[in-house]
Amino acid sequence: MPLTQSSDELSAWLRLSLEPNIGSATACMLLSALGLPEQIYAQRATALARHVPDALARQLAAPMPADMAEQVARALEWVQAPGRHILTLADPTYPQSLLTIADPPILLYVAGDPAFLQGPSLAVVGARNATPGGQENARAFARHLAANGWRVVSGLALGIDAAAHEGALDAGPDGAGTVAVMGTGIDRVYPASHRDLAHRIAAHGALVSELPLGTGARPQHFPKRNRIVAGLARGVLVVEAAKQSGSLITARLAGESGREVFAIPGSIHSPLSRGCHALIRQGAKLVETAADITDELGGGPTPAQAPRTEPSPARAAHPVLDALGYDPLHLDAIQARCGLDTAVLQAQLLDLELQGRIARLDDGRYQRLH
């Protein structure tokens, strides 16, 4: 990729992003006070000490440590490959929406097309241990949003995140695509099982990380990732979430940044509905269809050329589905409702499972999907 900044300029940005004991807020303060990173590193420690503690001033005034220089050289080599970019706050292609959050990343590593970081986007997030129904909802909502011009942003995690990315990709080449914000270095895919998904996203959207190359998955990185997910989007949709959930952090950050928050309600008996219900009580918009989101936001993009997803034709009533309802149930509870012989009921449940109309959960309960 041709660099939009000189190697020396980008090296200074990379060094600033790698400095220990400097978060994005401190880095932005120094940039505002002293100018671009090259100008920061041209200052003497005494001048820097007017803005930061003495120890940090001496750190910034010292020559770049050898291990940091190796990391900078590695990043400069990485960005030369096709489809790889490093966007700094000084880059005109840096996403404008991130400039409105409290602590914008000073740089972003991007694999794919950085144009996907601009324009109307919706974040779709939720539980890692999502139910089959929750994953299907995330996939269907994301497919509809992407087919109608809304880029889908999520975090590449298991469960709802992966389903949202897949749904957006299912909208095809005329869809708006998807962006995955990573909680690792951009050269490390977590979980490893999403490596193929990450390659598809890079080919038809963008992978994004603010973390240095080689950074592995650590718990403290995911809240930082969540602020970027929220910052890139016009709104956040929470599909399923427990009462204590990282998705609720994303929703809170979105609300604090003036974004809309949407939540899909669920069964009162499901732990994965409690986070969504809590958000709704706090003022999040209750949604039942993707159109509820686009209608609420208004003034969105012109729909893509891809055909709008139509609801499936209604199927004939099925006594087992009627008995099952929309809450997960064990076999004996379904049998008590429908009165069928055990062997007959098991055969019908298997048939419905093969049709993709129900799923058997890990705890043995059955969950209706349609």
Side-chain angles (χ1 to χ4, degrees), residues 285-328:
K285 308 291 193 306
L286 183 156
V287 296
E288 296 175 318
T289 69
D292 292 339
I293 299 174
T294 53
D295 290 347
E296 176 67 30
L297 289 172
T302 302
Q305 294 302 309
R308 194 178 178 108
T309 303
E310 296 295 334
S312 301
R315 302 192 189 191
H318 193 293
V320 173
L321 283 179
D322 291 342
L324 178 56
Y326 288 90
D327 288 340

Side-chain angles (χ1 to χ4, degrees), residues 158-176:
L158 293 168
I160 297 300
D161 286 18
H165 291 306
E166 290 164 355
L169 292 170
D170 288 346
D174 291 326

Side-chain angles (χ1 to χ4, degrees), residues 125-126 226 236 238 240-255 261 263 274-279 282:
V125 298
N226 292 347
V236 173
V238 183
E240 283 185 333
K243 200 68 177 289
Q244 303 296 325
S245 166
S247 301
L248 303 190
I249 296 175
T250 307
R252 176 178 58 79
L253 293 169
V261 179
R274 290 173 188 159
C276 291
H277 292 170
L279 288 173
Q282 294 162 16

Side-chain angles (χ1 to χ4, degrees), residues 84-319:
R84 295 177 178 177
H85 312 262
I86 297 176
L87 309 182
T88 72
L89 281 169
D91 195 310
T93 59
Y94 186 93
Q96 294 298 301
S97 59
L98 289 183
L99 297 176
T100 65
I101 67 175
D103 54 346
I106 65 169
L107 62 76
L108 295 168
Y109 299 83
V110 180
D113 186 349
F116 280 85
L117 306 185
Q118 308 286 358
S121 300
L122 265 297
V124 180
V125 298
R128 287 178 169 82
N129 59 332
T131 66
Q135 292 179 65
E136 181 166 315
N137 284 338
R139 192 174 288 108
F141 271 69
R143 186 186 307 116
H144 178 99
L145 291 166
N148 286 276
W150 291 92
R151 200 152 291 133
V152 173
V153 182
S154 199
L156 199 63
L158 293 168
I160 297 300
D161 286 18
H165 291 306
E166 290 164 355
L169 292 170
D170 288 346
D174 291 326
T178 187
V179 172
V181 184
M182 304 169 68
T184 62
I186 203 161
D187 57 338
R188 302 281 292 272
V189 176
Y190 178 83
S193 59
H194 284 174
R195 190 168 286 111
D196 288 344
L197 176 59
H199 288 311
R200 290 175 62 205
I201 294 169
H204 304 286
L207 302 172
V208 185
S209 177
E210 69 174 321
L211 298 168
L213 297 177
T215 302
R218 298 169 194 161
Q220 65 269 28
H221 292 158
F222 293 100
K224 288 168 62 69
R225 174 205 63 183
N226 292 347
R227 89 187 194 286
I228 300 176
V229 171
L232 285 171
R234 285 264 301 274
V236 173
L237 169 65
V238 183
V239 179
E240 283 185 333
K243 200 68 177 289
Q244 303 296 325
S245 166
S247 301
L248 303 190
I249 296 175
T250 307
R252 176 178 58 79
L253 293 169
E256 290 174 354
S257 299
R259 274 65 169 175
E260 296 287 350
V261 179
F262 305 94
I264 298 177
S267 167
I268 61 172
H269 304 293
S270 171
L272 293 179
S273 297
R274 290 173 188 159
C276 291
H277 292 170
L279 288 173
I280 292 167
R281 285 195 296 271
Q282 294 162 16
K285 308 291 193 306
L286 183 156
V287 296
E288 296 175 318
T289 69
D292 292 339
I293 299 174
T294 53
D295 290 347
E296 176 67 30
L297 289 172
T302 302
Q305 294 302 309
R308 194 178 178 108
T309 303
E310 296 295 334
S312 301
R315 302 192 189 191
H318 193 293

Side-chain angles (χ1 to χ4, degrees), residues 68-79:
M68 189 182 293
E70 290 177 7
Q71 287 180 283
V72 168
R74 183 181 172 194
L76 291 173
E77 181 180 1
W78 176 87
V79 79

